[in-house]
Amino acid sequence: MALLKQLPRWVLGAALLVAFDLAGRSLSATFALPVPGPVLGMILLLLALMLYGRVPTGLARVSERILRLLVLIFLPASVGVFFVRDLSGGDWFALIVAMVIGTLISFAVTALLLQRLIQPTQRRSTPGSHLGEGQHNGE
């Protein structure tokens, strides 16, 4: 029964993802942009969430499930690279450099984002954190 109550939120969350994906694809196709449509859709979704101020419950739940399956989504791309044998040495070098730099950039961005998201939580949960520096709580 609880699953039926959550179903509309799930459907709304999935519909939001599909709507922003389609909006990004439409923008990319209409203006012949060099950026892929799904990337534009993610940027539009990010902007919308920043304006909204929080992540809707349904979108959070659907996104959480998708993130758990993210490895399976990237698997075909990884297999595709494995079957590309006709690349020259320069192409392989460029591909490896792009993968290493892309991985390092994603690590750095993830670390900065995680640090920024954790800091406010740690400040709130630290006892006596509401006191300013130099103030004591009498103990």
Side-chain angles (χ1 to χ4, degrees), residues 6 9-10 12-13 52 54-64:
Q6 295 179 0
R9 288 183 176 174
W10 278 73
L12 182 61
Y52 188 62
R54 64 180 185 88
V55 179
T57 305
L59 182 61
R61 290 185 180 164
V62 169
S63 300
E64 181 184 319

Side-chain angles (χ1 to χ4, degrees), residues 12-133:
L12 182 61
L16 279 173
L17 287 177
V18 171
F20 278 99
D21 179 53
L22 291 175
R25 289 175 192 263
S26 297
L27 279 175
S28 180
T30 302
F31 297 109
L33 299 173
V35 180
V39 173
L40 284 177
M42 285 192 304
I43 292 171
L44 291 174
L45 178 61
L46 175 66
L47 293 174
L49 291 176
M50 289 172 67
L51 289 175
Y52 188 62
R54 64 180 185 88
V55 179
T57 305
L59 182 61
R61 290 185 180 164
V62 169
S63 300
E64 181 184 319
R65 294 291 178 185
I66 290 174
L67 286 176
R68 287 184 182 173
L69 301 172
L70 198 58
V71 174
L72 294 176
I73 293 171
F74 285 124
L75 190 60
S78 302
V79 171
V81 169
F82 179 76
F83 285 108
V84 177
R85 295 181 182 153
D86 297 332
L87 293 177
S88 67
D91 292 337
W92 279 109
F93 178 74
L95 184 65
I96 290 172
V97 168
M99 286 190 309
V100 169
I101 290 174
T103 302
L104 292 176
I105 289 172
S106 66
F107 282 166
V109 170
T110 302
L112 290 173
L113 183 62
L114 188 62
Q115 181 182 18
R116 187 173 177 114
L117 291 174
I118 287 176
Q119 281 180 346
T121 305
Q122 286 179 341
R123 278 191 223 134
R124 277 185 260 140
S125 64
T126 304
S129 63
H130 62 282
L131 300 174
E133 277 191 35

